[in-house]
Amino acid sequence: MSVLTTPFRITFCLLLAAFALTGCVGENNEDSEATWKTEEQSLDPDLEASFISGHLGNYWDCPDDGYSDASGEPSVGDAPMGDMAPCEEGEDCGTDGYMLNCEDAQAMVLLSNSGEESARDLQVTTIELFDSHGVSRAVLPLMDITDTTLGVAFDGELEIDDERRLRIDFQGPAYPYELLTDAQEDGRWGYAGYLEITFTASNHDEVIVITTELYPVPSMAT
């Protein structure tokens, strides 16, 4: 068996050490690259939404255009004597051929993105109506979303450091006395409720906007 000389053994050990160091450096570079990729992929939008204003519409002259419960008919005996009573079939409601008291419900919301990525595929998935006692009464159908900042239909995209004022049109209650709390019980006028509006996006968690107390639009005498 051959015996390595001392100088050769020293040289051989130095080569091994250099090879091991090179291997470690390579692994560290790979780790650094993986960490950089992870940080790059973690960039996300940061969405915030706040309620601005809104109302629950008026369907006195067009109750079929509003939302009603599953029965599709107003509750027997519950109709108020005031200006929110629906026009009964066969009655002359004084519209003179046009519907004066007919306006869809809407809510104005400010949506902003302070994150590091654009928000994509934004949409309203739920508009839930609660009475003023906090009881869920209905999920109201969405009709349209308008970007009032640009004056166009909302395309579902929100860039970095951008914000949009969105008008959300939806079906309000055709018969407010069916679903809303009578505010006169608390010394106020009309029927009151509030909404929880849920936004979703393909790259962000749900964002929920809770409105202040909302009322139907008062009817005008015809």
Side-chain angles (χ1 to χ4, degrees):
M1 182 176 63
S2 61
V3 179
L4 297 175
T5 63
T6 298
F8 183 81
R9 281 187 296 175
I10 292 174
T11 302
F12 181 71
C13 290
L14 289 174
L15 288 173
L16 286 178
F19 178 78
L21 181 61
T22 303
C24 292
V25 170
E27 291 178 0
N28 287 338
N29 285 337
E30 290 177 359
D31 290 343
S32 299
E33 183 178 355
T35 301
W36 178 79
K37 287 182 178 180
T38 301
E39 291 176 352
E40 183 182 40
Q41 293 171 354
S42 68
L43 300 179
D44 290 313
D46 186 5
L47 297 178
E48 292 185 1
S50 57
F51 172 69
I52 300 174
S53 63
H55 59 75
L56 296 175
N58 184 333
Y59 301 92
W60 184 9
D61 291 333
C62 53
D64 289 342
D65 291 344
Y67 174 88
S68 186
D69 62 10
S71 69
E73 298 293 338
S75 303
V76 177
D78 286 346
M81 298 301 293
D83 59 359
M84 290 309 297
C87 179
E88 298 295 336
E89 184 176 356
E91 289 184 354
D92 181 5
C93 296
T95 57
D96 296 326
Y98 65 93
M99 297 180 180
L100 178 63
N101 296 299
C102 191
E103 183 174 355
D104 285 316
Q106 64 176 239
M108 190 76 73
V109 172
L110 180 65
L111 193 62
S112 61
N113 178 15
S114 59
E116 299 177 315
E117 180 68 42
S118 298
R120 297 184 295 273
D121 303 319
L122 276 162
Q123 57 184 320
V124 173
T125 53
T126 307
I127 303 173
E128 189 167 3
L129 176 67
F130 294 80
D131 63 24
S132 59
H133 298 307
V135 178
S136 176
R137 302 307 306 271
V139 175
L140 302 175
L142 172 69
M143 298 176 63
D144 198 13
I145 305 177
T146 303
D147 181 348
T148 63
T149 303
L150 300 178
V152 297
F154 182 53
D155 62 4
E157 305 292 317
L158 191 60
E159 301 298 327
I160 303 169
D161 294 330
D162 201 2
E163 64 179 24
R164 290 284 184 267
R165 290 169 59 99
L166 304 180
R167 190 187 72 230
I168 303 166
D169 296 293
F170 60 96
Q171 277 188 313
Y175 308 105
Y177 52 86
E178 281 188 338
L179 302 175
L180 303 177
T181 305
D182 188 350
Q184 293 180 3
E185 296 175 0
D186 302 322
R188 293 166 294 156
W189 179 89
Y191 290 83
Y194 66 90
L195 303 173
E196 286 190 5
I197 303 172
T198 302
F199 286 87
T200 61
S202 62
N203 58 342
H204 195 280
D205 294 335
E206 290 183 348
V207 177
I208 298 177
V209 182
I210 300 177
T211 70
T212 58
E213 202 166 61
L214 302 180
Y215 296 84
V217 175
S219 296
M220 297 178 62
T222 57

